[in-house]
């Protein structure tokens, strides 16, 4: 009988840099101390998984041909996709426990993909793990997401956020100061499948057809985008890339009021130019921004629901999860 092992993959919260990764832009996420733990033993010919958090059981014969996909729960489609991506021939029998709510915009699916990949024997670099998990995400959902979620989870550094250049795929750790709290608050369930996410990707592509890569464009280039909707999307992406650099600089300097204002500006851009916020999210953001000790709040993740994130003075917010920057996906035993 094989030995029992455990793998852990954190969730992530994005502090600034939203909807920029699929155009090769800049993002500033951090892996967090909430995640998915998979306890398992290896098997010869199947993947058998249960979950302590959601219903259903995954039972996938190996090698996986796709025939079992309709017989497994929704969360099992990610397991099947990463098994197919890795051409897994050695399986596992295990149990999942997670404290990342599904649909919260904290990358529960990417954490699941990375955890299962490690349990199936993946032994490449964090970047290679992220790329494999991203391809699995695309296969499972059909949504053309960027690489931020998987790379921030695979390459997380304890005590740090990660500034990621999604064109070069360079990852630069940035220390999160100990005299502030990062607080995440769940507002509303969201689901990217069937959402307008793919529309936003296409709209950015239309803008790039007029002015070239948005990661290289300046605010002055926005007026050359002919389609009004694509012009608004481009204005957000170009300004958001600049905000990532400004936020990292202000945070490192201890200028928390300035860093918070950058988050506020980022939310306004997502609301007004990218149309990914909701009235419920806007109300929650405004409520937190009005509280003493809060430097800035914004929606985080793909949008259309999910979570908001704030930076604030230590102890300023009692409602929500105070999250700490975590190391990346890894074996625990």
């Amino acid at each position: 009988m094989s030995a029992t092992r455990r793998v852990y993959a954190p969730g992530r919260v994005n502090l600034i840099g939203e909807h920029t990764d699929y155009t090769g832009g800049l993002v500033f996420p951090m892996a967090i101390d909430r995640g998915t733990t998979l306890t398992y033993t290896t098997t010869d010919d199947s993947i058998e998984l249960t979950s302590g958090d959601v219903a259903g059981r995954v039972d996938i014969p190996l090698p996986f041909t796709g025939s079992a996909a309709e017989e497994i729960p929704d969360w099992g489609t990610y397991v099947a996709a990463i098994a197919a991506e890795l051409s897994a021939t050695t399986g596992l029998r295990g149990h999942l426990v997670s404290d990342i709510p599904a649909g919260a915009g904290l990358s529960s699916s990417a954490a699941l993909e990375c955890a299962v990949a490690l349990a199936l024997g993946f032994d490449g670099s964090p970047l290679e793990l992220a790329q494999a998990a991203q391809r699995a995400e695309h296969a499972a959902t059909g949504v053309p997401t960027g690489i931020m979620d998987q790379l921030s989870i695979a390459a997380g550094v304890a005590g740090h956020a990660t500034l990621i250049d999604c064109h070069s795929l360079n990852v630069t750790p940035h220390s999160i100061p100990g005299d502030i709290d990062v607080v995440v608050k769940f507002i509303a369930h969201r689901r990217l499948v069937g959402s307008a996410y793919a529309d936003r990707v296409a709209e950015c592509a239309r803008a790039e057809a007029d002015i070239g890569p948005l990661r290289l464009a300046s605010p002055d280039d926005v007026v050359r985008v002919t389609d009004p909707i694509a012009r608004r999307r481009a204005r957000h992406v170009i300004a958001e890339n600049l905000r990532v650099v400004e936020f990292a600089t202000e945070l490192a300097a201890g200028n928390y009021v300035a860093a918070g204002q950058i988050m506020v500006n980022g939310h306004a851009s997502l609301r007004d130019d990218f149309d990914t916020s909701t009235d419920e999210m806007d109300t929650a953001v405004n409520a937190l921004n009005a509280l003493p000790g809060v430097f800035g709040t914004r929606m985080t993740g793909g949008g259309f629901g999910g979570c908001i994130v704030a930076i604030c003075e230590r102890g300023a917010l009692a409602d929500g999860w105070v999250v700490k920057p975590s190391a990346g996906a890894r074996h625990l035993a």
Side-chain angles (χ1 to χ4, degrees):
M1 184 173 179
S2 64
T4 299
R5 302 196 69 189
R6 288 190 302 148
V7 292
Y8 175 82
R12 71 96 188 92
V13 64
N14 192 24
L15 299 179
I16 197 74
E18 215 68 77
H19 284 278
T20 54
D21 56 346
Y22 50 78
T23 56
L26 303 176
V27 295
F28 197 84
M30 73 179 203
I32 60 175
D33 55 345
R34 299 178 72 91
T36 295
T37 302
L38 169 55
T39 304
Y40 70 98
T41 56
T42 58
T43 63
D44 292 332
D45 57 1
S46 66
I47 297 173
E48 301 172 29
L49 287 175
T50 55
S51 170
D53 308 288
V54 290
R57 177 185 178 88
V58 170
D59 192 347
I60 302 170
L62 296 178
F64 177 60
T65 63
S67 59
E70 296 181 359
E71 302 169 14
I72 58 179
D74 285 349
W75 60 272
T77 60
Y78 299 101
V79 178
I82 194 66
E85 171 63 31
L86 299 180
S87 300
T89 56
T90 299
L92 59 88
R93 181 178 296 111
H95 184 70
L96 291 154
V97 177
S98 178
D99 55 4
I100 319 170
L106 299 178
S107 297
S108 60
S109 62
L112 175 60
E113 292 151 3
C114 289
V116 171
L118 291 177
L120 288 174
F122 181 89
D123 62 356
S125 68
L127 175 57
E128 290 167 334
L129 174 60
Q131 291 171 322
Q134 183 194 24
R135 291 190 293 268
E137 181 93 13
H138 290 175
T141 67
V143 180
T145 52
I147 200 169
M148 174 182 67
D149 295 353
Q150 291 83 5
L151 190 50
S152 61
I153 287 169
V157 178
H160 295 72
T162 46
L163 197 163
I164 302 173
D165 182 323
C166 296
H167 175 70
S168 68
L169 301 179
N170 287 332
V171 178
T172 305
H174 284 254
S175 177
I176 295 295
D179 56 348
I180 62 170
D181 282 343
V182 177
V183 180
V184 173
K185 186 174 181 180
F186 179 69
I187 304 301
H189 182 86
R190 60 113 195 197
R191 183 175 172 86
L192 288 184
V193 178
S195 77
Y197 190 101
D199 294 338
R200 298 299 182 275
V201 176
E203 289 154 1
C204 288
R206 292 210 303 273
E208 292 191 319
D210 284 340
I211 64 174
L214 294 180
R215 64 183 176 83
L216 301 177
S218 74
D220 293 339
D221 293 319
V222 172
V223 295
R224 297 194 289 112
V225 179
T226 54
D227 177 76
I229 292 177
R231 188 182 310 130
R232 289 169 53 213
R233 309 307 188 227
R235 182 164 56 223
H236 164 75
V237 170
I238 293 167
E240 189 80 345
N241 284 325
L242 296 173
R243 280 190 284 268
V244 170
V245 176
E246 293 166 357
F247 180 85
T249 300
E250 299 293 1
L251 191 69
N255 297 330
Y256 305 141
V257 172
Q261 186 59 52
I262 293 166
M263 294 174 70
V264 171
N265 295 344
H267 181 83
S269 182
L270 288 164
R271 179 193 65 211
D272 299 335
D273 278 340
F274 226 73
D275 294 323
T276 52
S277 189
T278 66
D279 290 343
E280 189 176 8
M281 301 289 280
D282 295 339
T283 297
V285 164
N286 292 338
L288 257 62
N289 282 333
L291 295 177
V294 175
F295 300 116
T297 312
R298 60 182 288 275
M299 58 153 280
T300 185
F304 316 106
C307 284
I308 60 177
V309 60
I311 60 169
C312 61
E313 295 175 355
R314 292 284 300 274
L317 291 177
D319 186 14
W321 306 315
V322 178
V323 295
K324 304 295 184 184
S326 167
R330 60 201 184 271
H331 279 92
L332 298 178

